[in-house]
Short mmCIF file of all heavy atoms in Angstrom, two decimals:
data_model
loop_
_atom_site.label_atom_id
_atom_site.label_comp_id
_atom_site.label_asym_id
_atom_site.label_seq_id
_atom_site.Cartn_x
_atom_site.Cartn_y
_atom_site.Cartn_z
N ASN A 15 -34.75 100.67 7.84
CA ASN A 15 -34.86 101.92 7.07
C ASN A 15 -34.52 103.16 7.88
O ASN A 15 -35.06 104.23 7.66
CB ASN A 15 -36.25 102.08 6.45
CG ASN A 15 -36.57 100.96 5.50
OD1 ASN A 15 -35.69 100.54 4.74
ND2 ASN A 15 -37.78 100.47 5.52
N ASP A 16 -33.63 103.03 8.85
CA ASP A 16 -33.21 104.17 9.69
C ASP A 16 -32.47 105.17 8.84
O ASP A 16 -31.37 104.91 8.36
CB ASP A 16 -32.31 103.65 10.80
CG ASP A 16 -31.73 104.78 11.63
OD1 ASP A 16 -32.36 105.85 11.70
OD2 ASP A 16 -30.63 104.60 12.18
N PRO A 17 -33.03 106.39 8.64
CA PRO A 17 -32.36 107.37 7.79
C PRO A 17 -31.05 107.88 8.37
O PRO A 17 -30.20 108.36 7.63
CB PRO A 17 -33.40 108.50 7.70
CG PRO A 17 -34.23 108.37 8.89
CD PRO A 17 -34.25 106.87 9.20
N PHE A 18 -30.85 107.78 9.67
CA PHE A 18 -29.62 108.25 10.27
C PHE A 18 -28.44 107.31 10.01
O PHE A 18 -27.31 107.70 10.18
CB PHE A 18 -29.81 108.44 11.78
CG PHE A 18 -30.77 109.53 12.10
CD1 PHE A 18 -32.10 109.24 12.36
CD2 PHE A 18 -30.36 110.85 12.13
CE1 PHE A 18 -33.00 110.24 12.64
CE2 PHE A 18 -31.27 111.87 12.40
CZ PHE A 18 -32.58 111.57 12.66
N SER A 19 -28.71 106.09 9.60
CA SER A 19 -27.65 105.14 9.34
C SER A 19 -27.27 105.07 7.86
O SER A 19 -26.32 104.43 7.51
CB SER A 19 -28.08 103.73 9.78
OG SER A 19 -28.39 103.74 11.16
N LYS A 20 -28.04 105.74 7.01
CA LYS A 20 -27.79 105.66 5.59
C LYS A 20 -26.76 106.74 5.17
O LYS A 20 -26.79 107.84 5.68
CB LYS A 20 -29.08 105.86 4.81
CG LYS A 20 -30.06 104.73 5.04
CD LYS A 20 -31.27 104.91 4.20
CE LYS A 20 -32.19 103.72 4.46
NZ LYS A 20 -33.38 103.81 3.65
N PRO A 21 -25.93 106.41 4.21
CA PRO A 21 -24.89 107.36 3.80
C PRO A 21 -25.45 108.66 3.22
O PRO A 21 -24.82 109.69 3.29
CB PRO A 21 -24.10 106.62 2.72
CG PRO A 21 -24.59 105.23 2.73
CD PRO A 21 -25.83 105.16 3.55
N GLY A 22 -26.66 108.64 2.66
CA GLY A 22 -27.23 109.83 2.04
C GLY A 22 -27.87 110.79 3.03
O GLY A 22 -28.39 111.81 2.63
N TYR A 23 -27.84 110.49 4.29
CA TYR A 23 -28.50 111.35 5.28
C TYR A 23 -27.84 112.73 5.31
O TYR A 23 -26.63 112.88 5.27
CB TYR A 23 -28.44 110.71 6.67
CG TYR A 23 -28.91 111.67 7.75
CD1 TYR A 23 -30.27 111.95 7.87
CD2 TYR A 23 -28.01 112.31 8.58
CE1 TYR A 23 -30.70 112.85 8.83
CE2 TYR A 23 -28.45 113.21 9.52
CZ TYR A 23 -29.80 113.47 9.65
OH TYR A 23 -30.23 114.38 10.58
N THR A 24 -28.67 113.75 5.42
CA THR A 24 -28.17 115.12 5.59
C THR A 24 -29.03 115.81 6.64
O THR A 24 -30.22 115.51 6.75
CB THR A 24 -28.22 115.92 4.28
OG1 THR A 24 -27.77 117.25 4.54
CG2 THR A 24 -29.62 115.98 3.67
N ASP A 25 -28.43 116.67 7.40
CA ASP A 25 -29.22 117.44 8.36
C ASP A 25 -29.52 118.83 7.81
O ASP A 25 -29.97 119.70 8.50
CB ASP A 25 -28.56 117.51 9.73
CG ASP A 25 -27.21 118.22 9.68
OD1 ASP A 25 -26.76 118.60 8.59
OD2 ASP A 25 -26.60 118.40 10.75
N ASN A 26 -29.27 119.02 6.53
CA ASN A 26 -29.52 120.29 5.87
C ASN A 26 -30.89 120.23 5.19
O ASN A 26 -31.08 119.48 4.24
CB ASN A 26 -28.41 120.56 4.86
CG ASN A 26 -28.62 121.84 4.10
OD1 ASN A 26 -29.61 122.00 3.40
ND2 ASN A 26 -27.66 122.74 4.21
#
Side-chain angles (χ1 to χ4, degrees):
N15 298 321
D16 173 28
F18 294 96
S19 301
K20 294 184 178 181
Y23 171 74
T24 178
D25 62 357
N26 178 299

